[in-house]
Amino acid sequence: MSEKEKMLAGEIYSAIDPELIRELGETREKIHLFNSLHPSEKQKMKEILFGLLGHIDDEEIIVNQPFRCDYGKQISVGKRFFANFNFTVLDEARVTIGDDCFIGPNVSIYTACHSTDPIERNSRQEWAEPVTIGDNVWIGGSVTILPGVTIGDNVTIGAGSVVTADIPSNSVAVGNPCKVIRTI
């Protein structure tokens, strides 16, 4: 099994594998081109996103510059997706985002996991856990979503939250760690 196959299967893999390093470099080239475009070049931006991301449900995608991701191909977004400035996705595992989702500025989604043991961590061995975000979700500014989290449908995550565990559908959740404060 290749290191990439291990990564996608959620198994421990070598983050310094030459194939993965090559793919990261190719993605960074595409991201650089996307982030360097003049804001009026919306069609070119969409073309790059359609070539970069794994799945886009329709043409009504807006991703403000700058945008960052590791691979792109593990990211899937639904209809009418909007991401504001400084959206960062470390997509070593699948990141699935539903329809009508709004991502505030400075939001980060992480799937990569590292050992808390420094010797293990320094070996550059890691694993990844997927993140799933349902339909009709609003993620406020400067939110961080950690590996393995599922956010249900019709959820609002308050600005500055750190989402460390699943958030059920029809909820408003805030804080560090992010907790449900009411249902809707």
Side-chain angles (χ1 to χ4, degrees):
M1 181 179 271
S2 73
E3 296 303 306
K4 181 176 181 176
E5 290 169 332
K6 291 177 190 176
M7 179 182 81
L8 296 174
E11 297 179 14
I12 294 175
Y13 68 94
S14 172
I16 56 172
D17 174 68
E19 176 188 6
L20 294 176
I21 298 297
R22 179 188 54 74
E23 286 188 33
L24 287 167
E26 290 170 359
T27 302
R28 285 187 174 88
E29 292 289 331
K30 293 173 187 175
I31 291 292
H32 176 75
L33 179 58
F34 175 85
N35 289 328
S36 298
L37 289 172
H38 191 275
S40 65
E41 296 180 273
K42 294 181 186 339
Q43 188 56 42
K44 182 64 177 165
M45 286 182 195
K46 284 184 182 182
E47 289 171 14
I48 292 170
L49 289 173
F50 272 84
L52 178 65
L53 303 184
H55 177 79
I56 299 172
D57 234 0
D58 70 11
E59 289 284 330
E60 294 184 54
I61 182 173
I62 298 172
V63 177
N64 284 335
Q65 302 155 302
F67 166 62
R68 302 271 189 263
C69 67
D70 275 343
Y71 296 95
K73 292 298 180 192
Q74 281 78 252
I75 302 170
S76 173
V77 299
K79 295 178 175 127
R80 296 168 299 279
F81 176 74
F82 173 81
N84 217 321
F85 308 107
N86 295 314
F87 182 40
T88 299
V89 183
L90 304 186
D91 61 311
E92 281 66 22
R94 300 261 317 144
V95 173
T96 305
I97 302 172
D99 295 341
D100 297 300
C101 287
F102 299 91
I103 307 292
N106 303 309
V107 168
S108 297
I109 299 174
Y110 306 143
T111 66
C113 302
H114 307 279
S115 176
T116 56
D117 178 274
I119 294 169
E120 288 178 14
R121 185 172 55 247
N122 290 339
S123 74
R124 304 304 191 260
Q125 299 290 304
E126 59 185 60
W127 68 98
E129 298 175 7
V131 169
T132 302
I133 299 172
D135 296 333
N136 306 307
V137 174
W138 175 22
I139 308 291
S142 298
V143 167
T144 301
I145 301 170
L146 296 184
V149 165
T150 295
I151 297 172
D153 297 333
N154 310 311
V155 170
T156 298
I157 304 292
S161 296
V162 179
V163 186
T164 62
D166 294 354
I167 303 295
S169 294
N170 306 307
S171 300
V172 176
V174 299
N176 181 4
C178 190
K179 302 276 187 210
V180 174
I181 59 167
R182 70 180 168 102
T183 57
I184 51 175

